[in-house]
Amino acid sequence: QVQLVESGGGLEQAGGSVRLSCTASGRTFYQYAMGWFRQAPGKEREFVAAISTGVGVTAYADSVKGRFTISRDDAKSTVYLQMNSLKSEDTAVYYCAASVGLGAPDIASRYNHWGQGTQVTVSS
């Protein structure tokens, strides 16, 4: 069983930057494709970014493309989400997720394990 712990959220200014981290327990992190999702108040959870195993192929939601960057460090069992040019609409609880199966990176149901989430609030 993989446990995921997110960190790095907080109150940020519009136009600013923040980096989220998600650290996994266990020694098999390299086997997991990783994703970031977010959920704003009153809205459904939505895909943000994902990164594959191995060479680390990435995918992004259109709303964050060019502003956010996902990366992973398998030696540290950690996936990151670098968030730049923040907007008020980026305000949400951000969740990281891990998947051992195949499937589209933006589909939440493919992910087997989820973190508790970290709040990011962007003030304008």
Side-chain angles (χ1 to χ4, degrees):
Q1 183 79 2
V2 174
Q3 291 187 330
L4 304 173
V5 179
E6 301 98 336
S7 62
L11 177 62
E12 309 295 336
Q13 294 288 325
S17 299
V18 65
R19 187 177 78 162
L20 305 183
S21 301
C22 172
T23 300
S25 63
R27 299 180 179 180
T28 58
F29 178 79
Y30 68 97
Q31 298 178 336
Y32 289 86
M34 300 298 296
W36 285 96
F37 289 74
R38 67 186 181 186
Q39 187 166 18
K43 296 187 177 181
E44 294 186 352
R45 189 172 298 188
E46 65 174 2
F47 169 74
V48 176
I51 187 166
S52 71
T53 58
V55 297
V57 177
T58 58
Y60 297 93
D62 288 342
S63 58
V64 306
K65 201 171 292 183
R67 300 188 298 123
F68 292 8
T69 302
I70 187 171
S71 61
R72 65 188 298 157
D73 185 338
D74 288 347
K76 296 182 178 180
S77 298
T78 300
V79 62
Y80 304 97
L81 184 68
Q82 178 68 43
M83 304 166 60
N84 298 330
S85 301
L86 288 166
K87 304 176 180 180
S88 58
E89 51 262 46
D90 295 321
T91 296
V93 177
Y94 284 73
Y95 300 89
C96 73
S99 170
V100 293
L102 299 177
D106 59 339
I107 303 300
S109 59
R110 74 162 286 191
Y111 292 89
N112 314 98
H113 307 283
W114 292 81
Q116 293 297 313
T118 185
Q119 176 72 47
V120 175
T121 302
V122 182
S123 63
S124 58

